């Protein structure tokens, strides 16, 4: 490329372009080839693009897009050596120059300034220095801008740019036209107000899972349904809506087609907001689980977990996806399709975790879903839901010991006995005044409620069974079962195991409750698991006194009825506790990527000041290559030495401390590690909650709704707080609704 040195009275400029003068027409010779093609592709409104492909030769759609984009304003690398009174100094480009004039554009190829309106329209008399060569004289730039913007050619180009895409000035000055515009905009304002009220009604119904249209209802039915009743109620408080519902012939907000279109727009607005939040966060995790709905359709739920701009942990429902099969390929394909929409190609490293329920099709190390996802997203480490693992631990502890298995089988019989007979339930309500919860093999908090109820009301239950047996109002089978249950409640084996698990289950409940929290993190979980192990160990150490208490009291006859000796009771109880402790240690061991949680465990900070956890750090760096090892080690060493940090209860608390005290940059790598730990989900509890919402929305009366409508209603229900917090939600929905298709009702301003 040639360089021409041009002398001016104040400075010398080296220009990175060649100027030829032929027939008083100047041309600019820029670099050609792949570099230019890439530049043109990326910046449609760039100076180089507009010079190579003039504005007048483009399509109307391209012209409108360029006008919307406005002038291209890159960061120019202009430096100008100058001197004043014998003192040398350098002038450099500043982006504040763009803010002073809306028409100023820049080119990072020629490193010069241009006039955007003149570049587009090139009115007669336009200076070629503002459209062809560019201006790079920083010293006299302000003076040249003032002279140019007062020129007739610039004013003409600027006016043509502002009026582009609008009616001619003559038409706009017409009185009838202005009146028509005003009336049109007044009608649009009224229609948007009405539509906003209808959107509020849809939001309310969606938030509380109310039917928008009942089964078999029509527009003219005497029972118009919950939604129409809500619209009528709102209309009684809003005169504009009331008048519209009374007189409207074009737009009826209660029509099913309108409702579906509004639901589609609402779903789109919320999803766009969630995607924007996820993309702006540093890290992202997913939770997925599958279930079968009331129409026997397999549904896969996808939940996103990330830290938002306010440093709050968010778990957002994203979609319910119908599956034709539950194979690993089918599930992985559905997840990858959605992840491709959420994360662009250059943000794949953001996905750091995938949490599932532990089914073999999900956790398979070679052909499971987690392996197929990690092949595409290398940082997406697998998490087996800790709540499911806790259930598996309790199942293992209570299923392989025959006496304990019999105890839980007998315990489940109490609820079954009363649930199948209203007469028995009436006696239970009268004598005990407390219902017996049904047990569940996958919900151990249900077992805990049953154990606590039977333990606290054992004497009342004995009286209740005796009442049923002696009343003479029940059939022989019921009388026989009532007598058997009354004897069971007096059985020493049953009472011992009831006492044992009454001591164990509160600790299981406490850990289970912590695992259900949205803002739980791996550091907090690590401490909770250690506390759980300590509590079970205390019960294990006190078994002898527990056995002695159970052996005391009671008649000699009742003692002879005991099927096990005190020594056998103590042995079985010890086996139960040992099984829980062993499986807790195995299943909840923090290995591989989870070992990073031990780096932020406050109760170990004092120990780490003596011996730094080098192995945990190296495994953390291997799992998360985006971390800078040397810097992280230095920051952690400082944190370990400070006693103030040793009372920290978890990663969330420490993250909030850094944010509140503006320590994000001081402890930049530790801050990144905390965000990784917090973003990593330890359970799929949120996915389970989505299934509860699915069951409430898709009932027998509404099992034929489309998947889009189901997703929209589920989103409005599960993310109702997000919808409420979006102050411009209604406005965005209206814009989408108005531009969805050509409508007879007017919703777009002129």
């Amino acid at each position: 490329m040639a360089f021409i040195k041009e002398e001016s009275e104040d400075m010398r400029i080296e220009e990175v372009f060649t100027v030829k003068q032929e027939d008083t027409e100047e041309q600019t010779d820029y670099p050609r080839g792949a570099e230019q093609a890439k530049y043109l592709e990326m910046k449609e409104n760039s100076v180089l693009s507009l010079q190579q492909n003039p504005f007048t030769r483009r399509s109307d759609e391209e012209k409108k897009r360029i006008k919307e984009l406005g002038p291209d304003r890159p960061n120019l690398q202009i430096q100008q050596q100058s001197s004043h009174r014998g003192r040398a100094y350098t002038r450099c480009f500043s982006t504040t120059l763009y803010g002073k004039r809306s028409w100023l554009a820049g080119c990072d190829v020629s490193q010069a300034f241009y006039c955007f309106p003149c570049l587009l329209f090139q009115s007669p008399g336009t200076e070629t220095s503002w459209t062809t060569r560019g201006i790079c004289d920083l010293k006299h730039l302000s003076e040249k801008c003032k002279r140019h913007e007062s020129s007739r050619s610039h004013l003409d180009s600027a006016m043509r740019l502002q009026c582009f895409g609008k009616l001619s000035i003559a038409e706009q000055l017409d009185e009838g036209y202005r009146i028509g515009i005003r009336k049109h905009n007044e009608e649009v304002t009224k229609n948007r107000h009405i539509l906003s009220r209808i959107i509020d009604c849809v939001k309310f119904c969606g938030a509380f899972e109310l039917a928008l249209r009942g089964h078999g209802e029509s527009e003219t039915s005497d029972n118009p349904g919950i939604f129409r009743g809500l619209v009528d109620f709102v209309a009684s408080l809003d005169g504009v809506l009331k008048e519209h519902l009374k007189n409207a012939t074009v737009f009826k907000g209660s029509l099913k087609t309108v409702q579906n279109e509004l639901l589609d727009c609402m779903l789109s607005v919320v999803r766009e907001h969630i995607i924007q939040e996820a993309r702006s966060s540093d890290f992202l995790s997913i939770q997925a689980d599958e279930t079968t709905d009331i129409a026997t359709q397999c549904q896969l739920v996808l939940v996103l977990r990330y830290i938002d701009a306010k440093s709050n942990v968010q778990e957002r429902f994203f979609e319910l996806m119908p599956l034709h099969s539950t194979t690993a390929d089918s599930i992985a394909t559905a997840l990858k399709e959605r992840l491709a929409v959420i994360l662009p190609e250059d943000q794949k490293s953001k996905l750091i975790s995938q949490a599932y329920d532990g089914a073999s099709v999900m956790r398979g190390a070679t052909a499971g879903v987690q392996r197929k996802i990690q092949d595409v997203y290398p940082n997406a480490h697998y998490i087996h839901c800790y709540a499911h693992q806790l259930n598996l631990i309790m199942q293992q502890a209570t299923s392989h010991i025959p006496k304990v298995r019999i105890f839980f089988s007998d315990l489940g019989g109490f609820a079954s006995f009363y649930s199948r007979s209203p007469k028995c339930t009436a006696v239970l309500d009268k004598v005990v005044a407390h219902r017996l919860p049904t047990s569940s093999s996958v919900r151990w908090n249900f077992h805990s409620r049953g154990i606590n109820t039977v333990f606290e009301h054992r004497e009342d239950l004995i009286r209740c069974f005796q009442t049923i047996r002696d009343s003479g109002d029940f059939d022989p089978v019921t009388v026989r079962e009532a007598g058997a249950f009354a004897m069971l409640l007096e059985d020493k084996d049953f009472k011992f195991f009831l006492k044992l698990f009454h001591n164990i289950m509160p600790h299981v409940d406490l850990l289970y409750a912590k695992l259900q929290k949205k803002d739980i993190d791996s550091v907090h979980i690590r401490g909770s698991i250690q506390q759980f192990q300590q509590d079970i160990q205390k019960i294990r150490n006190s078994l002898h006194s527990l056995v002695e208490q159970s052996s005391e009291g009671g008649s000699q006859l009742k003692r002879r009825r005991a099927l096990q000796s005190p020594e056998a009771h103590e042995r079985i109880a010890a086996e139960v506790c040992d099984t829980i402790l062993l499986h807790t240690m195995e299943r909840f061991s923090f290995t591989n990527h989870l070992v990073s949680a031990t780096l932020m465990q406050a109760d170990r900070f004092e120990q780490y000041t003596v011996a730094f956890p080098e192995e945990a750090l190296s495994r953390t760096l291997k799992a998360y290559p985006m971390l800078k090892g040397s810097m992280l080690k230095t920051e952690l060493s400082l944190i370990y030495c400070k006693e103030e940090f040793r009372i920290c209860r978890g990663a969330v608390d420490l993250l909030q401390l850094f944010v509140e005290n503006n320590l994000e940059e001081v402890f930049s790598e530790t801050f990144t590690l905390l965000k990784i730990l917090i973003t990593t989900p330890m359970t799929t509890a949120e996915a389970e909650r989505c299934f509860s919402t699915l069951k409430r929305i898709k009932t027998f009366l509404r099992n034929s709704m489309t998947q889009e409508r189901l997703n929209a209603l589920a989103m409005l229900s599960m993310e109702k707080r997000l919808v409420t917090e979006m102050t411009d939600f209604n406005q965005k929905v209206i814009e989408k609704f108005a531009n969805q298709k050509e409508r007879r009702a007017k919703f777009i301003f002129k």
Side-chain angles (χ1 to χ4, degrees):
M1 181 180 294
F3 292 87
I4 297 179
K5 297 182 180 179
E6 179 180 327
E7 297 289 341
S8 70
E9 58 180 358
D10 298 303
M11 58 180 276
R12 191 174 2 173
I13 304 172
E14 286 192 353
E15 299 179 299
V16 291
F17 47 82
T18 301
V19 180
K20 288 194 212 174
Q21 182 153 6
E22 298 178 1
D23 301 329
T24 68
E25 181 180 354
E26 295 182 344
Q27 296 179 350
T28 305
D29 185 18
Y30 290 107
R32 304 284 176 178
E35 184 179 351
Q36 176 182 330
K38 183 179 179 181
Y39 190 88
L40 291 172
E41 181 181 355
M42 291 178 60
K43 294 188 176 181
E44 193 175 16
N45 63 329
S46 67
V47 172
L48 185 58
S49 173
L50 292 168
Q51 287 177 337
Q52 297 298 327
N53 187 11
F55 184 75
T56 53
R57 298 178 188 173
R58 304 194 181 214
S59 65
D60 289 341
E61 185 178 344
E62 289 178 317
K63 290 178 180 178
K64 290 178 181 178
R65 190 161 56 246
I66 291 173
K67 180 183 177 181
E68 291 176 0
L69 292 172
D72 183 27
R73 295 180 165 183
N75 190 8
L76 305 182
Q77 305 298 321
I78 301 177
Q79 289 188 349
Q80 177 181 336
Q81 302 293 331
S82 186
S83 62
H84 182 66
R85 296 181 181 179
R87 185 178 178 183
Y89 60 91
T90 303
R91 281 191 176 90
C92 297
F93 166 80
S94 173
T95 54
T96 57
L97 293 172
Y98 288 135
K100 295 179 180 179
R101 288 171 173 83
S102 61
W103 51 268
L104 200 61
C107 179
D108 50 6
V109 175
S110 63
Q111 296 295 321
F113 296 100
Y114 295 83
C115 175
F116 185 65
C118 294
L119 193 61
L120 298 183
F121 294 98
Q122 299 192 13
S123 299
T126 301
E127 297 179 61
T128 55
S129 58
W130 286 101
T131 58
T132 307
R133 286 188 312 171
I135 303 294
C136 49
D137 182 359
L138 293 177
K139 183 175 181 180
H140 301 95
L141 179 63
S142 178
E143 180 184 341
K144 291 182 179 182
C145 286
K146 288 180 181 178
R147 186 167 60 248
H148 175 69
E149 65 187 0
S150 62
S151 66
R152 179 174 178 176
S153 59
H154 172 79
L155 294 174
D156 182 56
S157 297
M159 182 188 68
R160 292 170 65 182
L161 176 61
Q162 292 298 326
C163 295
F164 179 78
K166 301 178 182 178
L167 292 175
S168 67
I169 294 177
E171 290 177 312
Q172 295 184 45
L173 290 174
D174 182 71
E175 180 68 20
Y177 174 80
R178 292 204 303 272
I179 293 173
I181 290 290
R182 186 169 62 251
K183 288 184 177 180
H184 172 86
N185 290 340
E186 288 175 355
E187 187 177 353
V188 169
T189 302
K190 176 183 174 183
N191 289 342
R192 285 183 170 234
H193 171 81
I194 293 167
L195 186 56
S196 181
R197 292 291 176 266
I198 293 173
I199 290 172
D200 289 335
C201 295
V202 175
K203 284 195 300 186
F204 180 86
C205 289
F208 297 98
E209 295 123 13
L210 302 175
L212 293 181
R213 285 176 61 84
H215 180 65
E217 291 175 353
S218 63
E219 188 78 18
T220 59
S221 70
D222 296 332
N223 178 21
I226 297 173
F227 175 72
R228 184 54 192 268
L230 181 60
V231 172
D232 290 340
F233 173 74
V234 174
S236 67
L237 305 175
D238 190 313
V240 177
L241 179 59
K242 183 177 182 179
E243 182 184 357
H244 171 78
L245 294 177
K246 183 178 179 180
N247 302 319
T249 57
V250 175
F251 173 73
K252 286 279 189 178
S254 57
L255 289 174
K256 187 175 182 180
T257 53
V258 173
Q259 290 176 12
N260 286 338
E261 289 175 12
L262 283 175
L263 287 171
D264 289 342
C265 295
M266 291 178 177
L267 178 62
S268 177
V269 168
V270 180
R271 271 192 189 157
E272 287 174 3
H273 181 86
I274 293 173
I275 290 174
Q276 184 180 359
E277 279 190 340
R279 289 180 178 178
S280 61
S281 64
D282 292 323
F283 302 104
L284 175 70
S285 295
I286 62 170
Q287 302 172 41
D289 203 353
E290 84 230 22
T291 189
T292 303
D293 62 24
I294 199 70
T296 65
Q297 169 68 58
C298 183
Q299 300 279 358
L300 178 71
V301 65
L302 175 62
V303 175
L304 308 182
R305 180 182 172 96
Y306 53 85
I307 300 175
D308 63 14
K310 297 179 181 178
S311 298
N312 295 322
V313 184
Q314 301 295 350
E315 287 186 343
R316 302 291 194 198
F317 164 78
F318 190 77
E319 189 175 0
L320 286 164
M321 295 170 276
L323 296 175
H324 298 295
S325 65
T326 55
T327 62
D329 286 332
S330 178
I331 296 173
T333 300
L335 289 176
K336 285 188 283 189
E337 287 177 357
R338 298 317 185 274
L339 287 172
V341 174
I342 299 167
L343 291 177
E345 192 71 21
D346 59 341
Q347 293 189 9
K348 282 187 174 182
S349 60
K350 280 187 176 183
L351 186 64
I352 60 169
S353 181
Q354 45 179 329
Y356 310 121
D357 60 2
S360 58
V361 71
M362 308 297 276
R363 61 180 168 84
T366 56
V369 173
Q370 64 106 350
R371 179 73 263 170
K372 295 179 183 296
I373 295 296
Q374 199 166 28
D375 288 341
V376 181
Y377 300 89
N379 295 334
H381 300 287
Y382 167 63
I383 296 291
H384 183 177
C385 172
Y386 271 41
H388 282 81
Q389 292 194 71
L390 181 59
N391 287 329
L392 293 174
I393 290 171
M394 295 307 299
Q395 287 177 13
Q396 186 68 26
T398 58
S399 62
H400 77 292
I401 304 174
K403 291 298 179 184
V404 177
R405 185 172 64 248
I406 292 170
F407 165 75
F408 278 101
S409 177
D410 291 339
L411 184 70
F414 292 107
S416 300
F417 175 80
Y418 287 106
S419 63
R420 66 171 183 257
S421 171
K423 288 176 65 177
C424 291
T425 304
V427 177
L428 179 70
D429 292 340
K430 182 178 180 180
V431 177
V432 183
H434 204 288
R435 294 289 178 94
L436 290 168
T438 305
S439 61
S440 170
S441 60
V442 295
R443 287 290 184 272
W444 277 91
N445 54 333
F446 290 179
H447 281 290
S448 176
R449 289 161 52 194
I451 289 170
N452 291 337
T453 302
V454 174
F455 182 84
E456 294 168 3
H457 301 278
R458 191 179 67 86
E459 297 295 337
D460 295 332
L461 285 170
I462 292 174
R463 271 201 328 274
C464 182
F465 284 123
Q466 290 173 346
T467 301
I468 294 173
R469 184 189 60 188
D470 301 336
S471 66
D473 297 331
F474 294 89
D475 60 272
V477 175
T478 302
V479 171
R480 183 172 62 250
E481 290 181 355
F485 281 125
M487 293 176 62
L488 181 63
L489 289 169
E490 295 282 4
D491 183 77
K492 283 298 183 69
D493 285 351
F494 185 86
K495 288 197 294 183
F496 172 75
F497 289 122
L498 186 65
K499 176 69 174 177
L500 172 65
F501 283 100
H502 180 68
N503 291 340
I504 292 176
M505 293 310 292
H507 304 295
V508 178
D509 285 348
L510 183 61
L511 181 58
Y512 195 85
K514 289 180 179 178
L515 292 172
Q516 303 299 308
K517 292 182 179 178
K518 180 181 69 175
D519 58 351
I520 196 71
D521 59 79
S522 54
V523 178
H524 198 169
I525 286 293
R526 179 69 174 168
S528 300
I529 291 171
Q530 289 181 346
Q531 184 62 49
F532 174 73
Q533 290 173 316
Q534 293 172 9
D535 294 335
I536 299 299
Q537 187 62 49
K538 287 180 182 178
I539 296 174
R540 171 72 171 81
N541 298 336
S542 62
L543 287 178
H544 186 70
S545 60
L546 179 65
V547 171
E548 288 182 347
Q549 292 174 11
S550 300
S551 301
E552 293 175 358
S555 65
Q556 203 67 22
L557 176 63
K558 291 182 179 179
R559 287 179 184 167
R560 285 199 298 269
R561 286 173 55 192
L563 299 179
Q564 296 288 338
S565 65
E567 293 76 13
H569 282 165
E570 185 173 352
R571 178 181 53 79
I572 295 174
E575 188 176 354
V576 169
C577 293
D578 289 342
T579 303
I580 293 174
L581 289 171
L582 177 62
H583 283 275
T584 300
M585 189 178 301
E586 290 178 353
R587 288 187 173 275
F588 291 163
S589 59
F590 276 48
T591 57
N592 300 327
H593 63 285
L594 288 178
V595 78
S596 57
T598 61
L599 293 174
M600 304 308 302
Q601 204 167 337
D603 59 352
R604 294 189 178 186
F605 284 0
E606 186 175 0
Q607 174 188 342
Y608 290 161
T609 58
V610 180
F612 189 88
E614 295 285 356
E615 184 181 354
L617 178 62
S618 62
R619 293 169 77 174
T620 299
L621 296 176
K622 183 179 179 181
Y624 305 109
M626 69 283 296
L627 295 169
K628 299 176 183 176
S630 59
M631 189 67 180
L632 178 60
K633 183 176 180 179
T634 304
E635 294 174 6
L636 290 175
S637 299
L638 178 60
I639 291 173
Y640 296 156
C641 294
K642 298 291 184 180
E643 293 186 6
E644 304 89 53
F645 291 110
R646 294 178 186 175
I647 61 173
C648 177
R649 294 180 297 174
V652 174
D653 290 346
L654 194 54
L655 181 86
Q656 294 296 338
L657 177 69
F658 284 172
V659 172
E660 291 170 3
N661 293 277
N662 299 319
L663 295 173
E664 302 98 314
E665 293 185 5
V666 178
F667 296 99
S668 58
E669 294 305 305
T670 306
F671 191 70
T672 302
L673 176 59
L674 288 172
K675 287 190 286 188
I676 290 173
L677 294 174
I678 295 170
T679 305
T680 301
M682 303 306 292
T683 69
T684 57
E686 187 63 26
E688 298 283 351
R689 285 189 277 268
C690 294
F691 293 152
S692 300
T693 304
L694 170 64
K695 291 177 181 178
R696 291 194 298 269
I697 292 174
K698 200 167 186 181
T699 63
F700 281 107
L701 295 181
R702 290 184 283 170
N703 63 1
S704 60
M705 68 174 67
T706 63
Q707 191 69 26
E708 291 77 11
R709 186 180 176 93
L710 173 63
N711 271 310
L713 291 173
M715 182 70 79
L716 290 176
S717 174
M718 286 180 273
E719 298 298 339
K720 51 180 172 284
R721 183 172 181 179
L722 173 62
V723 171
T724 304
E725 291 174 351
M726 292 174 63
T727 54
D728 58 347
F729 178 78
N730 284 20
Q731 187 63 32
K732 288 183 176 179
V733 173
I734 291 171
E735 291 295 337
K736 283 190 174 292
F737 183 79
N739 292 289
Q740 219 173 28
K741 61 183 181 181
E742 191 68 28
R743 299 188 178 279
R744 293 173 64 190
K746 300 179 179 68
F747 293 102
I748 301 177
F749 291 104
K750 287 186 178 180

